[in-house]
Amino acid sequence: MTVQFSPASQEHIASLLARYPTRRAVMLPALHLAMQEFPAMDDEVCQAVADLLHVPMVDVKGVATFYSLFPTEPRGQYSLEVCVNLSCSLNGARRCLRYLEHKLGIKTGETTPDGRFTLRGMECLAACDQAPMMYINNAAMYTHLTEEKLDQLLQELAP
Ligand code: FES
């Protein structure tokens, strides 16, 4: 089955195409819209973006797979995105990641069997001064992580 953007997103992308200097310049806004509408940036979604922008699908896939914020696999309800870059690692991010792996019973990159949590290790998320830190669903930022804070957070997210 072919995936299709909603009429509202199609209209929004059309308006961006009219404003931006090139079709490729609309790539990132279109990819962000795609992530709001679809669970992952798989080949079908990349093709839908390519069709809308009238660019080769390989160009869309190249951009989408370059950025870790566009996952190619569906994520759980909560995507725990722990920064493991230098500042965060020096301040305990890897220990936090191992702790989350232990608590959730999954490895980094996996999703819990109930589909609730996906655990991801990320490159720098631009909050180095608040390390270690993570995002949930690329939206809510949690900083100065400790095992106690992670316990509290998991409790809040529990059903
Ligand atoms: S190194 Fe983690 S936010 Fe920059």
Side-chain angles (χ1 to χ4, degrees):
M1 193 175 104
T2 307
V3 298
Q4 264 199 331
F5 278 90
S6 67
S9 288
Q10 290 182 36
E11 199 173 302
H12 184 62
I13 288 173
S15 74
L16 293 175
L17 284 168
R19 267 193 7 230
Y20 280 54
T22 67
R23 295 183 167 281
R24 281 182 172 76
V26 184
M27 187 87 70
L28 284 176
L31 290 173
H32 282 292
L33 272 176
M35 286 314 306
Q36 290 171 21
E37 293 207 15
F38 308 109
M41 196 57 66
D42 60 21
D43 284 353
E44 282 187 311
V45 175
C46 285
Q47 186 61 61
V49 173
D51 291 345
L52 270 182
L53 300 182
H54 302 287
V55 299
M57 194 268 233
V58 69
D59 288 2
V60 176
K61 196 157 177 145
V63 173
T65 56
F66 178 79
Y67 294 102
S68 58
L69 296 175
F70 301 120
T72 53
E73 301 283 326
R75 294 168 294 182
Q77 180 181 2
Y78 298 109
S79 177
L80 309 181
E81 299 146 357
V82 181
C83 173
V84 291
N85 214 299
L86 186 60
S87 296
C88 286
S89 286
L90 289 173
N91 285 284
R94 303 231 177 233
R95 191 176 60 245
C96 289
L97 202 57
R98 280 195 304 275
Y99 187 70
L100 285 169
E101 286 181 337
H102 169 72
K103 293 290 285 189
L104 298 172
I106 57 174
K107 296 284 182 204
T108 300
E110 294 180 345
T111 298
T112 53
D114 63 1
R116 199 154 182 81
F117 295 101
T118 297
L119 186 56
R120 303 175 68 211
M122 308 295 285
E123 295 305 323
C124 182
L125 295 170
C128 312
D129 60 323
Q130 300 173 80
M133 59 80 64
M134 71 176 185
Y135 271 96
I136 295 183
N137 294 343
N138 190 25
M141 185 166 77
Y142 297 86
T143 60
H144 304 292
L145 296 176
T146 62
E147 292 180 357
E148 293 72 29
K149 279 188 175 179
L150 292 172
D151 278 338
Q152 186 182 348
L153 186 60
L154 291 178
Q155 243 177 2
E156 289 169 11
L157 299 176

